[in-house]
Amino acid sequence: MSAILSVDDLNDFISPGVACIKPVETLPRQKPEENSNPYEVTIEDKLASQDRTPAQISLTDCLACSGCVTSAEAVLVSLQSHAEVLNTLDAHPSIPLGSEAEGCLQSERADGSTQGRIFVASVSPQVRASIAATYGISERRAGWMIDQLLGGPLGLASGGNHRSAFSWIVDTNALREACLVLGADEVRSSLLPSTNSTSISTPAPKRPVLTSACPGWICYAEKTHPHVLGHLSRLKSPQALTGTLIKTVLSQRLNIRPDQIWHLAVMPCFDKKLEASREELTDVYWRPSSADLDPTPPTRDVDCVITARELIMLADTRGISFPSLPQEPLPALSAPLFPDLTLDSYLYPHRHQHTRKRRRRNQDPSAGPSGGYLHHVLQTQLSLHPDNKLHTTRGRNPDVVEYAITRPSRTAHGDEGTPEEEVIFKAARYYGSRNITNLVRKLKPPQPRRLPGAAARPSRPPSTAKSTSTHGPARASAANSMSDYAYVEVMACPGGCTNGGGQIKVDDVGLGDRVREGLGTEGITQKDWLGRVDEAYFSMSDSSSDSSSAVADDGDVRTGEDDARDHGEVVDGIHVEPVREMLRYWSESTGIGLEKLCYTSFRAVESDVGKADKGGGQERVVELAGRIGGGW
């Protein structure tokens, strides 16, 4: 378990439970001693020392357990740490990527007999922003340093038993754009149930649609509020979608098993470790039907998740000075093409002349620090009706923001008309556990009246009701219900994903001195520090350019004038049609439907905590007590 996992400095996070019984359940039974007298009392200093096996808690156990509810459950697990990354690199040599056929690399050893692995990493933009704020560099240079650590000759490849390194390092922004486009389609489907713009046979969630990219929020909903599961977006998160693409494409193109591909995700949040362990995010749910009889155990789409802080610890453990890594891109020879040129042009647009300008340059601050799901939905709705207006209303705290899209309407009063605004689309943003608690309370179905003769509460009017205020249309006439909202972006961390529990903090041991001395942050608060991380996140450039020019691997500077081509509809800086083309190509080339590649499911976890004992509970307590050698 990583030594940096802590909940002491968390604010407004869902607190961890303390009644975890999983270690007790997994303890081996004690064998009775020979010639022992059960009535004999033995003092402690005369007891023979026993070598007891330490209890182990796997991520799957923790996620399936209903004994606690927390957004920091990673404190209970012993896997998916920087040590696990090093152990895997030392245990398995990298499978060489040798001959090149038709522009695509082929594996030299694909007979399944080797113990080698193909190592692939994906990095989130929030992690790059955290590194950039820590060392006072641009987000782009921070990304280069991460690339050098994971795949460069001066990084992890400089040590270890096999000098293994990561062959490909993917920016999760690529698949995040796919999530945004599909998310907007999902909201459209929920508004118009008779249509499905993506032609994917997945049922649209109930209104309001709630984001499902935050695993802390999903774990909380599954364990305590199953009534909201019908509202959750069925889309996979960018981390999960990246893992599915990597495992499906590489296993088919290189003719290797999915378990020979080891995918590391570098994320801002410890809860992403829990997401990676979900049973729904394994190859069982997407592999072809012909492979159903394969006795191979399920392989996770994401094998390991580490955070920004653990990334620094990864370098320190290997004896690498992270600040000393080159702040420049990897040489072309150390970054092979992805084994599919079409997907390579999507994942690495800077390598291809015709795709270099498709990735957005920076993130709009109004989109928020959590990927911009809500912002893209709003911009998609505005693109359908350019004459409409967007109104923003701040809630009781900065982590609650309400949005309303209105259209002009005129109500006749004699010969003159009075201009009014009609609300046609409502959405909101809820960050932090306090606000999430209020949200799920509003989504809770009404309880039936128990008093005899009590009248049922009248239902709420539809969302077409007009707002009575021209200054704040986002404020609904009924504040205690969310039935007239179409979409809500929900994140467990206050302030969003840049404030994830795994991000580098201003007072982190080993980093605080470097931050204070190099950046002049003496006496800075965590709130101010988070502002710097947000600044780095919103000023991030794409993978090919810092400003208006792109620097190629050979050092030549190329302007973007020749790259300005018309790619059809552009919403929020995203070229929608190329994203759809990539998704169609991915599905057709692998023979797997998009409903299996891009969508997942959620389940209610029934808890026994607080329920009446229906028999057998006392016997189970006695049994558990016996396993640990006596009463508690």
Side-chain angles (χ1 to χ4, degrees):
M1 188 190 309
S2 174
I4 64 175
L5 299 179
S6 173
V7 293
D8 294 338
D9 57 346
L10 303 186
N11 178 25
D12 191 24
F13 289 75
I14 303 169
S15 301
V18 295
C20 183
I21 61 173
K22 199 66 185 179
V24 179
E25 291 179 331
T26 56
L27 285 176
R29 289 184 177 273
Q30 289 187 347
K31 297 181 180 180
E33 299 180 1
E34 297 181 359
N35 302 326
S36 61
N37 186 351
Y39 302 101
E40 181 181 358
V41 177
T42 306
I43 59 178
E44 184 176 358
D45 56 357
K46 293 186 178 180
L47 287 174
S49 61
Q50 299 179 359
D51 295 330
R52 300 186 183 274
T53 304
Q56 298 290 331
I57 308 174
S58 68
L59 281 169
T60 303
D61 292 336
C62 187
L63 187 62
C65 174
S66 60
C68 62
V69 178
T70 170
S71 69
E73 281 184 314
V75 299
L76 302 176
V77 300
S78 59
L79 297 177
Q80 299 202 49
S81 65
H82 67 286
E84 180 68 15
V85 178
L86 295 178
N87 292 338
T88 304
L89 292 173
D90 291 341
H92 304 282
S94 297
I95 295 179
L97 300 172
S99 59
E100 188 170 343
E102 299 181 357
C104 298
L105 291 173
Q106 303 293 325
S107 173
E108 290 184 344
R109 294 185 294 181
D111 56 359
S113 60
T114 178
Q115 295 297 319
R117 296 288 185 272
I118 290 180
F119 297 100
V120 187
S122 57
V123 183
S124 75
Q126 289 87 357
V127 169
R128 295 195 298 270
S130 183
I131 297 293
T134 300
Y135 297 106
I137 56 179
S138 67
E139 179 270 344
R140 185 189 184 197
R141 292 184 177 275
W144 285 343
M145 294 175 67
I146 297 174
D147 292 349
Q148 292 283 353
L149 173 65
L150 299 178
L154 300 179
L156 299 177
S158 62
N161 297 335
H162 305 286
R163 297 188 179 275
S164 299
F166 290 84
S167 301
W168 290 286
I169 303 170
V170 180
D171 183 359
T172 59
N173 271 335
L175 276 301
R176 180 178 61 86
E177 291 187 356
C179 291
L180 296 181
V181 172
L182 292 175
D185 292 345
E186 192 176 44
V187 174
R188 258 197 230 175
S189 299
S190 69
L191 296 175
L192 301 172
S194 60
T195 62
N196 193 332
S197 58
T198 59
S199 300
I200 299 175
S201 57
T202 55
K206 297 186 296 184
R207 295 181 57 187
V209 180
L210 309 178
T211 52
S212 59
C214 174
W217 147 241
I218 294 301
C219 188
Y220 175 69
E222 288 183 324
K223 292 183 176 181
T224 62
H225 299 288
H227 64 274
V228 306
L229 298 184
H231 296 273
L232 292 177
S233 168
R234 303 297 189 266
L235 276 173
K236 293 181 179 179
S237 69
Q239 169 186 297
L241 200 60
T242 303
T244 303
L245 183 141
I246 289 172
K247 292 294 182 81
T248 54
V249 174
L250 291 183
S251 61
Q252 291 192 12
R253 296 296 184 274
L254 301 181
N255 192 26
I256 59 177
R257 301 189 311 271
D259 62 352
Q260 290 183 276
I261 306 164
W262 201 79
H263 176 208
L264 169 71
V266 188
M267 293 289 141
C269 177
F270 289 120
D271 290 327
K272 285 295 183 179
K273 301 171 186 280
L274 296 174
E275 176 187 312
S277 71
R278 293 184 67 93
E279 180 184 358
E280 296 86 354
L281 301 179
T282 61
D283 64 335
V284 174
Y285 285 81
W286 53 256
R287 62 188 179 188
S289 57
S290 59
D292 289 343
L293 300 178
D294 189 355
T296 305
T299 301
R300 294 187 299 193
D301 294 341
V302 180
D303 296 280
C304 185
V305 178
I306 62 174
T307 63
R309 280 191 277 177
E310 290 175 302
L311 186 73
I312 304 299
M313 297 180 66
L314 178 68
D316 292 342
T317 305
R318 189 67 104 185
I320 301 170
S321 175
F322 190 88
S324 301
L325 290 171
Q327 297 180 17
E328 58 187 27
L330 291 172
L333 294 178
S334 62
L337 292 175
F338 201 70
D340 187 299
L341 288 183
T342 301
L343 294 177
D344 185 86
S345 65
Y346 181 81
L347 296 175
Y348 306 99
H350 61 283
R351 297 177 178 175
H352 305 266
Q353 184 73 12
H354 66 285
T355 60
R356 186 172 298 142
K357 291 296 178 182
R358 288 187 184 178
R359 191 72 32 83
R360 76 167 86 190
R361 289 238 188 296
N362 49 45
Q363 181 76 30
D364 190 335
S366 62
S370 302
Y373 291 88
L374 173 60
H375 184 72
H376 186 79
V377 169
L378 293 172
Q379 294 302 315
T380 300
Q381 293 295 321
L382 290 173
S383 68
L384 299 176
H385 307 283
D387 294 335
N388 294 345
K389 296 181 180 180
L390 176 64
H391 301 265
T392 304
T393 304
R394 175 174 167 174
R396 295 182 178 180
N397 55 71
D399 284 333
V400 176
V401 185
E402 297 182 353
Y403 302 86
I405 296 179
T406 62
R407 63 185 176 191
S409 175
R410 298 183 66 85
T411 304
H413 293 281
D415 296 334
E416 297 181 356
T418 302
E420 291 186 1
E421 292 180 337
E422 181 181 3
V423 178
I424 62 173
F425 187 89
K426 295 186 67 177
R429 174 189 300 166
Y430 279 75
Y431 290 174
S433 67
R434 296 190 187 98
N435 299 321
I436 290 177
T437 302
N438 294 330
L439 172 65
V440 296
R441 184 184 302 118
K442 295 176 182 179
L443 291 172
K444 191 172 183 178
Q447 297 293 331
R449 298 279 183 170
R450 296 185 178 183
L451 294 178
R457 181 175 298 176
S459 60
R460 293 186 47 77
S463 59
T464 56
K466 297 179 181 180
S467 172
T468 58
S469 171
T470 57
H471 299 285
R475 292 190 179 276
S477 57
N480 294 326
S481 175
M482 302 294 293
S483 60
D484 52 349
Y485 284 74
Y487 190 79
V488 182
E489 182 178 281
V490 186
M491 299 291 165
C493 294
C497 293
T498 52
N499 191 32
Q503 295 284 77
I504 299 173
K505 311 300 180 183
V506 67
D507 55 351
D508 275 339
V509 177
L511 293 174
D513 294 339
R514 165 65 180 87
V515 172
R516 281 185 283 271
E517 294 176 1
L519 303 180
T521 56
E522 184 69 32
I524 189 174
T525 64
Q526 178 60 32
K527 181 178 180 181
D528 296 332
W529 175 251
L530 180 60
R532 295 195 177 189
V533 178
D534 287 341
E535 181 181 358
Y537 176 79
F538 293 127
S539 62
M540 65 182 177
S541 61
D542 63 12
S543 56
S544 64
S545 174
D546 260 331
S547 55
S548 60
S549 62
V551 182
D553 292 335
D554 55 7
D556 295 335
V557 178
R558 303 176 182 141
T559 61
E561 296 178 358
D562 296 334
D563 297 327
R565 299 182 179 181
D566 183 13
H567 296 293
E569 181 185 7
V570 179
V571 178
D572 191 25
I574 297 176
H575 298 272
V576 177
E577 190 54 33
V579 173
R580 299 192 192 278
E581 292 176 357
M582 182 278 297
L583 293 172
R584 286 193 294 266
Y585 175 81
W586 178 21
S587 176
E588 294 171 359
S589 62
T590 58
I592 307 173
L594 286 179
E595 67 276 3
K596 293 184 177 181
L597 294 175
C598 302
Y599 294 85
T600 184
S601 60
F602 306 99
R603 64 197 185 274
V605 179
E606 186 175 358
S607 175
D608 294 330
V609 177
K611 292 185 178 180
D613 188 4
K614 297 181 180 180
Q618 294 182 355
E619 290 79 1
R620 186 166 180 264
V621 171
V622 174
E623 180 185 357
L624 292 175
R627 290 188 185 182
I628 62 172
W632 290 321

